[in-house]
Amino acid sequence: MAVASSPSPHTGATPLTGIQVIGGRQRAPQGMRELDERWYGYGRGVVVDVTAGAARTIVEYESAPGTCGPEDPVLYKSASRVGDRLYACTQTEVLVYDYPSFDLLHHVSHPVLNDVHHVIPSATGTLLVAVSGHDAVAELDVDGELLNLWSVADGVDRVPIDPDVDYRIDCDLKPHAVHPNYLFRLGEEVWATRFETRDAVAVHNPSRRIAIDRERCHDGVVHDGAIYFTTVDGCVVEVDADSLHIRAVHELQGRRTNTVLGWCRGLTFRGDHAFVGFSRIRHTKFRNTLSWMRKGLTGSEPTRVAVYDRRTWTLIDEIDLEDAGCNAVFTIVDAGADS
């Protein structure tokens, strides 16, 4: 197990440049940082550009009329960059952008979409979508036709869908049994990371399982022969892509002591650097999702991106995103990398 030490003094040019952060902005006034129920009120998806250690919002998005209820949260969940396309999603929509212009090429919404968390393109150009509300993975085309809906819940072969219900509008299906929140590929296999069961399974063969078995997990970034998962309590779990066994657990640290690191989610790599997202902790009606928080901590660190040396997982630098209008991080994109 690799444990990060305290941050090193920063010398030379900061690695915090040429990245973009995809997430959400709360509806409450920008100056409000207290932890109260207003943190539920996400009102816009945002893309924040970080250049030379400075952060600014470059894209803002509000859901199209008729795709969600008036009080439902609106924010970008996890996105995927593939070449000159960025595949993004809100809780009820899939959006395909030209990249890096962010010109919207396709807008897809369907009544089955409830608490969408991630989207990737399939090998044939369709859209594979993690639909957490139904504990399922959906396949849609860019015209919005639902082609397939596969359950990833244990022991459930068929997703029970009522064709007369619009699951996008004022429809709360929580708590979820497994909560798939990220999709990734190993060769031709599509996998889903499952938050509640702390694992990942092959979508078409759920008997193939990667056991995380720590805290609840996000991501599933395949890089250099390994799969990297974040856990909400601030760890990066490194899994061998061949054996599917854990190689190492990297316990991350922040600059401050006696504070909660934040909700750890969002990960990308550039050379020897790992960029990790943290979102300020907010209240939740499902208190068990915060059961991992250690007692005695005095507060939560701000929403930010932190950079770690991937060889030692030592903190190098970080940037606060809240003044740039980002209050929840879901995805970090290396803007300069070929993808």
Side-chain angles (χ1 to χ4, degrees):
M1 180 181 293
V3 180
S5 60
S6 299
S8 302
H10 167 23
T11 60
T14 174
L16 267 168
T17 193
I19 64 168
Q20 291 168 346
V21 181
I22 300 169
R25 177 183 300 168
Q26 64 191 36
R27 289 193 179 102
Q30 283 294 295
M32 193 281 288
R33 294 192 174 196
E34 292 79 13
L35 300 180
D36 64 23
E37 296 301 322
R38 288 177 291 174
W39 280 85
Y40 286 122
Y42 291 106
R44 290 189 179 185
V46 294
V47 179
V48 173
D49 184 73
V50 179
T51 302
R56 65 185 181 95
T57 297
I58 59 171
V59 176
E60 299 184 14
Y61 179 79
E62 295 185 39
S63 288
T67 63
C68 65
E71 300 302 320
D72 290 341
V74 176
L75 70 166
Y76 288 126
K77 296 296 186 76
S78 295
S80 305
R81 180 192 163 195
V82 181
D84 62 355
R85 295 289 182 268
L86 183 80
Y87 298 83
C89 57
T90 69
Q91 300 218 128
T92 58
E93 304 160 286
V94 174
L95 306 129
V96 183
Y97 291 100
D98 177 75
Y99 189 86
S101 72
F102 286 98
D103 291 336
L104 183 60
L105 303 175
H106 302 287
H107 174 272
V108 176
S109 191
H110 187 281
V112 81
L113 298 182
N114 179 288
D115 204 4
V116 170
H117 266 68
H118 191 211
V119 56
I120 63 173
S122 74
T124 60
T126 59
L127 305 168
L128 301 178
V129 185
V131 186
S132 299
H134 293 296
D135 290 317
V137 174
E139 181 182 19
L140 300 101
D141 64 22
V142 294
D143 295 320
E145 182 180 353
L146 180 64
L147 305 175
N148 289 292
L149 189 64
W150 301 290
S151 173
V152 291
D154 294 331
V156 178
D157 295 326
R158 182 178 175 274
V159 182
I161 297 296
D162 185 338
D164 296 324
V165 174
D166 188 339
Y167 291 94
R168 299 170 299 178
I169 310 296
D170 299 325
C171 184
D172 187 354
L173 298 178
K174 294 179 180 178
H176 306 150
V178 297
H179 192 90
N181 60 24
Y182 202 90
L183 304 174
F184 61 95
R185 285 192 186 83
L186 291 178
E188 296 183 357
E189 278 188 314
V190 177
W191 288 69
T193 300
R194 305 193 302 179
F195 181 75
E196 293 294 351
T197 44
R198 311 178 193 205
D199 61 8
V201 294
V203 171
H204 300 299
N205 183 8
S207 64
R208 283 175 54 74
R209 176 179 180 264
I210 299 170
I212 306 301
D213 294 343
R214 292 180 58 86
E215 262 306 332
R216 293 169 174 86
C217 51
H218 287 278
D219 301 294
V221 177
V222 181
H223 182 76
D224 283 351
I227 316 154
Y228 293 85
F229 301 90
T230 54
T231 63
V232 295
D233 59 342
C235 292
V236 174
V237 180
E238 180 179 342
V239 172
D240 185 275
D242 292 323
S243 70
L244 307 183
H245 294 152
I246 293 175
R247 287 180 182 173
V249 177
H250 309 289
E251 297 182 359
L252 307 180
Q253 292 187 4
R255 290 195 184 279
R256 305 162 187 83
T257 58
N258 296 322
T259 58
V260 181
L261 279 175
W263 195 272
C264 182
R265 174 184 55 215
L267 174 68
T268 197
F269 298 99
R270 180 195 296 158
D272 291 327
H273 295 131
F275 298 81
V276 183
F278 294 93
S279 301
R280 185 187 287 269
I281 295 297
R282 58 185 173 83
H283 285 287
T284 173
K285 61 184 175 181
F286 297 102
R287 299 294 178 183
N288 63 325
T289 65
L290 298 181
S291 61
W292 52 269
M293 286 176 54
R294 183 163 52 87
K295 291 182 179 180
L297 300 180
T298 57
S300 175
E301 296 192 30
T303 301
R304 67 200 184 283
V305 171
V307 188
Y308 293 86
D309 184 325
R310 191 159 63 96
R311 296 163 297 186
T312 61
W313 291 90
T314 301
L315 179 64
I316 298 172
D317 204 356
E318 59 185 24
I319 185 167
D320 188 326
L321 301 173
E322 293 184 357
D323 289 338
C326 182
N327 305 105
V329 178
F330 275 84
T331 305
I332 303 169
V333 174
D334 185 351
D338 294 328
S339 181

